[in-house]
Amino acid sequence: MGNVMSFLDTLFGKRERSSDIARDRLLTVLVHDRVKLTPDMMEQLKADLSAVIARYVPSVDAGAIEVTLLRGESVDHLKADIPLRRTTQKF
Amino acid sequence: MSRVITITSGKGGVGKTTSTANLGAALAMQGLKVAVVDADIGLRNLDVVMGLENRIVYDLVDVVEGRCRLRQALIKDKHLPDLCLLPAAQTRDKDAVTADDMIALANQLRAEFDYVLIDSPAGIEAGFRNAIAGADEVLIVTTPEVAAVRDADRIIGLVEAFEKGHPRLIINRLKPRMVSRGEMMSIDDVLQILAIDLIGVVPEDEQIVTSTNRGEVAVLDRSSRAGRAFSEIARRLAGEDVPITVFDENPGILNRIFGAFGIRARGSER
């Protein structure tokens, strides 16, 4: 019964396949294991990044910065998404 | 040329001891002289998996400390005259031997056997390091689970740091039907994450439980799917080019022939 339910859930897109979840979690955990960046250091990195960027782009939204470690084919990537607030232009 | 091969995993309970016993027996069935060594000092297991627990007089630590000669500690298998077990000590701990002791022991065994298979303890501590110290090559056992693959990744790094070449991977306890439902990581998922050569895939098989209950290895039972998978791995170890097959839950049906899709067990030429 559980199998049928999980099959239907997957079929109707209600639930991601658990094998995909496992793979994604592993990729994240492995890249963190290898790069040795703790969650604390990631937070510090975000704070430092927003301070540096604010010197050039004052509209940086410090609270919304997302820094992620991604595993690539031959190199891993540290990816930062830095949203900027839209300010109304004054002429 | 004798070969010393350590079977390790990082995580416990993924099938190191079962793999060692079955690969040892399968190689001995090919007419090769094989010694299997239990390097898990203090947590002796390989003897019970092989059903030889009542025959132990001396153990690995007795040999290392000179209380007996190597020949006296080796136990002949019940069925296969070319297979011998060197049991671990049960009453000592991992500090009873050093990496140098294990290298010397491996070299002594090389003189008598074609293959020496060393069953490593779980973990990344001294016991693991001792177990790989004397090895020419390393096989890593994992199951298609997050924790086991994570630990395998760590072990691969350590094996390479200790200059033991590129280890090869055994994926154990795969459930093909769960994989096809998307409820278990596939062979490709695991290989993409670990980026090492695959030497074989062993399906989940209840007969492993019953054969272990009896102290018999699965490769002796022709109806065991896991046993057949281990026999194939042993042939690949010995250098034969055998396409990797995944034995499905219906006996006798080869679920998928991975060789046809270009996934083949390779030697250590990477």
Side-chain angles (χ1 to χ4, degrees), chain B residues 59-124:
Chain B
D59 58 50
L60 188 153
V61 177
D62 292 323
V63 176
V64 164
E65 295 183 347
R67 272 189 297 279
C68 71
R69 281 175 292 117
L70 177 60
R71 286 247 173 103
Q72 294 174 286
L74 287 168
I75 302 158
K76 258 200 170 28
D77 185 64
K78 291 180 290 189
H79 307 290
L80 301 163
D82 290 326
L83 180 63
C84 282
L85 165 71
L86 180 59
Q90 179 67 351
T91 53
R92 302 289 295 273
D93 67 29
K94 60 183 187 305
D95 302 323
V97 293
T98 65
D100 286 340
D101 292 334
M102 291 301 289
I103 293 169
L105 185 68
N107 288 336
Q108 250 185 298
L109 287 162
R110 262 179 227 278
E112 315 258 342
F113 297 94
D114 299 313
Y115 281 83
V116 179
L117 303 186
I118 300 174
D119 183 19
S120 156
I124 54 171

Side-chain angles (χ1 to χ4, degrees), chain A residues 3 6-7 10 15 17-23 25-27 29-30 33-34 71 73, chain B residues 145-147 149-151 153-154 179-186 189 192-195:
Chain A
N3 287 345
S6 76
F7 173 72
T10 310
R15 229 170 58 167
R17 292 164 19 130
S18 74
S19 60
D20 293 337
I21 297 169
R23 201 191 51 232
R25 289 177 58 220
L26 248 173
L27 288 171
V29 101
L30 285 188
D33 285 353
R34 285 181 185 174
R71 203 180 143 97
E73 275 290 304
Chain B
E145 291 159 305
V146 177
V149 176
R150 181 196 203 176
D151 290 359
D153 182 75
R154 183 102 162 81
V179 174
S180 59
R181 287 202 304 271
E183 300 295 352
M184 179 178 263
M185 282 189 285
S186 68
D189 289 337
Q192 266 173 27
I193 289 164
L194 295 178

Side-chain angles (χ1 to χ4, degrees), chain A residues 79-90:
Chain A
K79 206 171 152 188
D81 181 2
I82 304 162
L84 306 178
R85 279 184 299 268
R86 283 213 181 111
T87 46
T88 39
Q89 300 273 326
K90 286 173 190 155

Side-chain angles (χ1 to χ4, degrees), chain A residues 9 14 29-30 41 68 83:
Chain A
D9 283 351
K14 280 184 199 158
V29 101
L30 285 188
M41 290 159 72
T68 42

Side-chain angles (χ1 to χ4, degrees), chain B residues 8 15 35 52 55 96 109 118 145 175 210 238:
Chain B
T8 188
L52 299 174
R55 306 186 184 193
L109 287 162
I118 300 174
E145 291 159 305
K175 298 182 180 182
T210 53

Side-chain angles (χ1 to χ4, degrees), chain B:
Chain B
M1 257 295 274
S2 310
R3 289 162 73 189
V4 180
I5 303 169
T6 296
I7 291 100
T8 188
S9 68
K11 188 176 178 300
V14 298
K16 284 182 297 295
T17 303
T18 303
S19 299
T20 307
N22 279 283
L23 293 177
L27 288 165
M29 287 164 80
Q30 295 180 29
L32 296 156
K33 290 177 74 70
V34 183
V36 290
V37 178
D38 191 343
D40 199 350
I41 313 294
L43 290 169
R44 178 152 91 193
N45 276 150
L46 190 52
D47 56 330
V48 286
V49 171
M50 298 172 73
L52 299 174
E53 67 274 18
N54 293 329
R55 306 186 184 193
I56 297 174
V57 182
Y58 295 109
D59 58 50
L60 188 153
V61 177
D62 292 323
V63 176
V64 164
E65 295 183 347
R67 272 189 297 279
C68 71
R69 281 175 292 117
L70 177 60
R71 286 247 173 103
Q72 294 174 286
L74 287 168
I75 302 158
K76 258 200 170 28
D77 185 64
K78 291 180 290 189
H79 307 290
L80 301 163
D82 290 326
L83 180 63
C84 282
L85 165 71
L86 180 59
Q90 179 67 351
T91 53
R92 302 289 295 273
D93 67 29
K94 60 183 187 305
D95 302 323
V97 293
T98 65
D100 286 340
D101 292 334
M102 291 301 289
I103 293 169
L105 185 68
N107 288 336
Q108 250 185 298
L109 287 162
R110 262 179 227 278
E112 315 258 342
F113 297 94
D114 299 313
Y115 281 83
V116 179
L117 303 186
I118 300 174
D119 183 19
S120 156
I124 54 171
E125 325 261 301
F128 154 73
R129 275 176 260 152
N130 290 342
I132 65 165
D136 305 316
E137 43 195 301
V138 175
L139 300 182
I140 292 174
V141 184
T142 191
T143 58
E145 291 159 305
V146 177
V149 176
R150 181 196 203 176
D151 290 359
D153 182 75
R154 183 102 162 81
I155 287 287
I156 291 165
L158 289 170
V159 168
E160 287 175 351
F162 284 105
E163 296 179 343
K164 294 294 171 186
H166 295 294
R168 287 186 281 175
L169 186 72
I170 296 174
I171 300 178
N172 194 22
R173 308 191 67 170
L174 185 90
K175 298 182 180 182
R177 289 177 188 190
M178 285 193 78
V179 174
S180 59
R181 287 202 304 271
E183 300 295 352
M184 179 178 263
M185 282 189 285
S186 68
I187 297 165
D188 279 347
D189 289 337
V190 176
L191 290 182
Q192 266 173 27
I193 289 164
L194 295 178
I196 65 169
D197 287 338
L198 180 69
I199 192 166
V201 178
V202 183
E204 174 76 57
D205 182 2
E206 287 188 355
Q207 269 169 276
I208 288 286
V209 178
T210 53
S211 60
T212 308
N213 286 344
R214 292 177 209 280
E216 306 279 348
V217 288
V219 289
L220 288 168
D221 177 357
R222 295 192 68 85
S223 69
S224 164
R225 289 174 297 116
R228 278 188 290 159
F230 281 120
S231 297
E232 287 197 351
I233 295 172
R235 285 165 59 200
R236 286 183 206 109
L237 258 186
E240 246 186 273
D241 190 11
V242 186
I244 293 182
T245 48
V246 178
F247 297 96
D248 198 3
E249 282 152 63
N250 299 323
I253 292 179
L254 307 183
N255 185 30
R256 275 193 268 174
I257 301 169
F258 278 79
F261 298 103
I263 299 172
R264 292 184 146 239
R266 274 176 290 165
S268 40
E269 79 275 5
R270 261 167 45 102

